C-alpha cells in the first residue's frame, strides 16, 4: 500500500511540475543550456588517443554529430513542454536567442532551434528541408560579461586569486598532492591544481562516452574521485558571495530585465534562449545556492518560468541534467515563489552592468 501511495505521489508531483502552467498563466520562459557533446578541448601528452585528426576530425573543442543530435532533441523537448505556450511557427516577437561566441555554442543553438521550430506552412522554402534560419545573437567573449562571463574584471581576478591561495584550497591541493603526482606521471601533464583535474576529468568522460577504452591507471580514480575535484574546481568560480556577484551579477540582471518587461506589460516576448557552457551552468547554480556538486552533462539546462495568477507573478526554477527534470528551490522560496521575493533572494548576486564595471576597478 505504501509503495502504491509513493508511486501515486511521485506521479502527481511530475504532473504538477510539467502541467501546472497549462491553465494559461505561464507568461515567460528563460532557459540556459550547456552546448551539446563536443570533442575534448585538450589532449594529454601520453593519451593513447592523441591522433586528433583520426579521433576528433572536426577539431578539439568542436561540436560532434552526437552533440548536434542531443541539441536537436532538446529543442524537440522544448516544443513538447511548451506546446500550449509557444506558437508552432517561429517569430522574432516570441523568442530571442543569445549565445556565447564559441563555435560549439552557436552551432548548438542552431541545432536546438531546428528541433524547436521545424519549418511549417508558409515558412517552408524547400520541401526537402524542413528548416529555416533563425537569428542567434552574440558578442565577442572578451566583451561579454553576461553569457560568456569572460569580460575582464580586475577585482574578480584579485578575489579569485585570494581564494585559490586561501588555507581551504591550499589544503585541498596538499591533501591531493599524491594524486596530482600520480596523474602527472601517467598523463605527462604537470598537474598541480584543481583546474587541471577538471580538464582531465572532462577528457576522460568524453573518451569513455565514445567507447574508447580508458588506460589502466584511471581505474579507481575515475569517475568518482576526479568528479568531485572537478566539480569543486567548477564551484570555485562562484565560491563566495563577492565572487558570485561579480561572476553572475550581470546575467541575473539581464534575465530579470526581461521578467520586468513582462510584469509591466512592456513586451510580448515569450522565450529567452541562452546557449552557454558547463562553467556557466555551475556558476549560476552555485550563485543561487542549489549546486549539488554534480558535473553538468552536455545539453543540461536551467529553466526559469515566470507565471501570473491574478495580479501576482511568481517564478519556478527547474534543472534538466538527464532525461528527467528536477525542481530547484531557493533558500526561503518554495514552488510558485513570488517574483519579487525571488529577486530579493538573489539581490546580493545581482548587479547592473554599469555598476559592475565600476565594481571591477581595483
Amino acid at each position: 500500500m505504501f509503495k502504491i501511495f509513493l508511486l501515486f505521489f511521485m506521479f502527481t508531483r511530475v504532473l504538477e511540475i510539467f502541467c501546472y502552467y497549462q491553465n494559461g498563466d505561464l507568461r515567460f520562459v528563460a532557459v540556459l543550456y550547456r552546448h551539446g557533446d563536443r570533442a575534448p578541448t585538450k589532449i594529454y601528452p601520453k593519451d593513447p588517443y592523441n591522433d586528433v585528426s583520426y579521433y576528433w576530425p572536426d577539431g578539439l573543442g568542436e561540436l560532434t554529430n552526437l552533440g548536434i543530435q542531443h541539441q536537436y532533441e532538446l529543442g524537440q523537448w522544448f516544443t513538447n513542454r511548451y506546446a500550449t505556450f509557444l506558437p508552432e511557427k517561429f517569430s522574432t516577437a516570441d523568442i530571442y536567442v543569445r549565445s556565447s561566441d564559441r563555435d560549439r555554442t552557436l552551432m548548438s543553438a542552431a541545432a536546438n532551434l531546428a528541433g524547436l521550430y521545424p519549418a511549417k506552412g508558409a515558412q517552408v522554402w524547400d520541401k526537402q528541408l524542413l528548416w529555416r534560419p533563425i537569428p542567434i545573437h552574440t558578442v565577442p567573449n572578451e566583451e561579454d560579461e553576461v553569457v560568456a562571463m569572460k569580460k575582464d574584471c580586475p577585482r574578480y581576478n584579485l578575489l579569485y586569486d585570494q581564494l585559490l591561495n586561501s588555507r581551504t584550497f591550499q589544503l585541498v591541493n596538499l591533501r591531493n598532492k599524491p594524486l596530482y603526482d600520480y596523474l602527472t606521471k601517467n598523463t605527462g601533464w604537470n598537474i598541480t591544481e584543481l583546474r587541471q583535474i577538471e580538464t582531465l576529468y572532462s577528457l576522460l568522460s568524453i573518451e569513455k562516452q565514445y567507447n574508447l577504452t580508458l588506460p589502466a591507471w584511471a581505474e579507481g580514480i575515475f569517475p568518482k574521485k576526479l568528479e568531485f575535484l572537478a566539480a569543486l574546481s567548477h564551484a570555485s568560480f562562484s565560491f563566495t558571495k563577492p565572487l558570485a556577484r561579480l561572476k553572475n551579477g550581470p546575467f541575473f540582471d539581464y534575465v530579470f530585465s526581461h521578467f520586468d518587461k513582462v510584469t509591466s506589460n512592456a513586451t510580448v516576448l515569450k522565450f529567452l534562449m541562452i546557449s552557454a557552457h558547463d562553467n556557466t551552468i555551475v556558476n549560476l547554480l552555485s550563485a543561487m545556492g542549489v549546486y549539488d556538486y554534480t558535473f553538468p552533462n552536455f545539453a543540461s539546462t536551467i529553466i526559469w518560468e515566470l507565471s501570473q495568477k491574478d495580479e501576482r507573478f511568481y517564478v519556478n526554477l527547474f534543472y534538466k541534467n538527464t532525461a528527467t527534470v528536477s525542481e530547484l528551490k531557493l533558500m526561503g522560496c518554495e514552488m510558485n515563489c513570488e517574483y519579487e521575493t525571488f529577486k530579493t533572494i538573489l539581490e546580493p548576486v545581482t548587479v547592473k552592468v554599469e555598476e559592475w564595471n565600476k565594481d571591477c576597478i581595483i
Side-chain angles (χ1 to χ4, degrees), residues 60-124:
L60 294 180
E62 297 298 331
L63 199 68
T64 63
N65 283 344
L66 185 60
I68 295 171
Q69 176 187 339
H70 284 165
Q71 278 296 337
Y72 182 82
E73 291 170 352
L74 179 60
Q76 292 179 315
W77 185 86
F78 288 146
T79 297
N80 292 330
R81 182 174 175 89
Y82 301 110
T84 62
F85 178 65
L86 277 178
E88 289 186 353
K89 294 181 180 179
F90 163 75
S91 170
T92 55
D94 295 324
I95 185 171
Y96 185 88
V97 185
R98 182 165 174 177
S99 171
S100 70
D101 191 22
R102 285 285 183 267
D103 291 350
R104 56 184 177 269
T105 49
L106 290 163
M107 293 170 65
S108 288
N112 191 298
L113 291 165
L116 177 59
Y117 285 115
K120 294 182 178 182
Q123 293 190 337
V124 175

Side-chain angles (χ1 to χ4, degrees), residues 16-33 73-89 94-95 112 115-117 120 259 270-273 301-307 315-320 325-326:
E16 179 184 3
I17 289 175
F18 277 88
C19 303
Y20 71 92
Y21 59 81
Q22 296 297 325
N23 60 6
D25 63 354
L26 185 63
R27 293 289 306 279
F28 190 83
V29 177
V31 300
L32 181 141
Y33 51 73
E73 291 170 352
L74 179 60
Q76 292 179 315
W77 185 86
F78 288 146
T79 297
N80 292 330
R81 182 174 175 89
Y82 301 110
T84 62
F85 178 65
L86 277 178
E88 289 186 353
K89 294 181 180 179
D94 295 324
I95 185 171
N112 191 298
L116 177 59
Y117 285 115
K120 294 182 178 182
F259 285 3
K270 291 174 174 285
F271 207 88
L272 174 65
M273 176 185 288
T301 309
I302 304 175
I303 304 169
W304 296 264
E305 294 181 350
L306 179 71
S307 297
V315 177
N316 286 297
L317 178 66
F318 303 96
Y319 183 45
K320 184 180 185 297
V325 180
S326 57

Side-chain angles (χ1 to χ4, degrees), residues 10 18 55-56 71 84 107 112 144 146 154 165-166 168 187 208 224 235-236 256-257 263 267 274 295 319 340:
M10 292 174 66
F18 277 88
Y55 290 103
W56 313 109
Q71 278 296 337
T84 62
M107 293 170 65
N112 191 298
D144 186 3
V146 175
N165 289 314
S166 68
T168 298
T187 64
K208 183 178 180 180
K224 288 296 183 181
S236 67
F256 290 153
S257 69
T263 60
T267 183
I274 300 173
F295 213 81
Y319 183 45
E340 291 302 325

Side-chain angles (χ1 to χ4, degrees), residues 124-186:
V124 175
W125 56 276
D126 185 335
K127 292 182 180 179
Q128 303 302 314
L129 181 64
L130 299 181
W131 169 87
R132 65 175 288 111
I134 294 175
I136 302 167
H137 306 270
T138 191
V139 298
N141 279 345
E142 63 273 12
E143 300 174 15
D144 186 3
E145 67 282 289
V146 175
V147 176
M149 301 179 181
K150 293 292 186 182
K151 187 175 180 179
D152 188 43
C153 179
R155 183 168 297 281
Y156 176 87
N157 297 337
L158 175 64
L159 293 176
Y160 188 65
D161 286 342
Q162 290 175 352
L163 176 73
L164 295 184
N165 289 314
S166 68
R167 178 173 174 78
T168 298
F169 278 81
Q170 287 301 308
L171 280 175
V172 170
N173 289 331
L174 181 62
R175 290 173 179 171
N176 287 283
K177 189 176 186 307
L179 175 63
Y180 293 173
D181 292 342
Y182 176 78
L183 294 174
T184 295
K185 175 183 177 181
N186 286 284

